[in-house]
Amino acid sequence: MHDSNAWVDPFGLDVKLTEGYVYRMGSGTDSNLTPRPGKDTTSGLSASLEKPTTGKFQTIDVAKLDGTGLEAINDHGSHVSIRPADDPNFVKLSEWADTRGTERTHKYTQALQEAKVTCP
């Protein structure tokens, strides 16, 4: 039996963002900017189009993801998934997630660190 939750945009409803800001809840650590193995490996790192009003969060300039191999996809409502481009089987996403909690900073985590901005 197939897991329909693992399908990527079966109806063509996802929208690739190329500009603007998305917000990732939590601190600016490498760990928080790396997907969780088993949890984020079928969608990507979660972010939001809505700026949080409380708590820690990171502001990511979507335009700065261009050329990094990452894409920001508005996949439903205000939810955004940040994930490797051209990765239909989630191989790159899983490899990235496998570096969470290790001493290794993955190139995608580094790209997100460089795309962070002071909240406008």
Side-chain angles (χ1 to χ4, degrees), residues 47-66:
S48 177
L49 293 171
E50 295 178 8
K51 183 178 175 180
T53 56
T54 61
K56 291 182 181 181
F57 64 91
Q58 305 306 305
T59 303
I60 298 167
D61 183 344
V62 173
K64 291 185 176 185
L65 298 180
D66 187 41

Side-chain angles (χ1 to χ4, degrees), residues 15-119:
V15 176
K16 181 179 177 181
L17 304 175
T18 57
E19 61 184 9
Y21 301 105
V22 297
Y23 306 95
R24 169 77 178 159
M25 291 301 297
S27 68
T29 63
D30 283 353
S31 181
N32 189 50
L33 296 176
T34 303
R36 294 167 291 187
K39 175 137 177 74
D40 299 321
T41 50
T42 58
S43 58
L45 193 67
S46 291
S48 177
L49 293 171
E50 295 178 8
K51 183 178 175 180
T53 56
T54 61
K56 291 182 181 181
F57 64 91
Q58 305 306 305
T59 303
I60 298 167
D61 183 344
V62 173
K64 291 185 176 185
L65 298 180
D66 187 41
T68 66
L70 290 174
E71 60 185 6
I73 304 295
N74 180 205
D75 46 12
H76 56 79
S78 63
H79 186 268
V80 174
S81 291
I82 300 172
R83 60 189 185 210
D86 302 318
D87 190 26
N89 296 318
F90 308 113
V91 173
K92 295 176 193 175
L93 181 58
S94 292
E95 289 171 353
W96 179 21
D98 286 344
T99 66
R100 185 176 174 128
T102 70
E103 305 237 346
R104 181 172 163 240
T105 300
H106 194 278
K107 67 178 182 177
Y108 295 145
T109 301
Q110 185 61 42
L112 285 175
Q113 290 287 7
E114 294 171 9
K116 287 189 322 189
V117 296
T118 302
C119 192

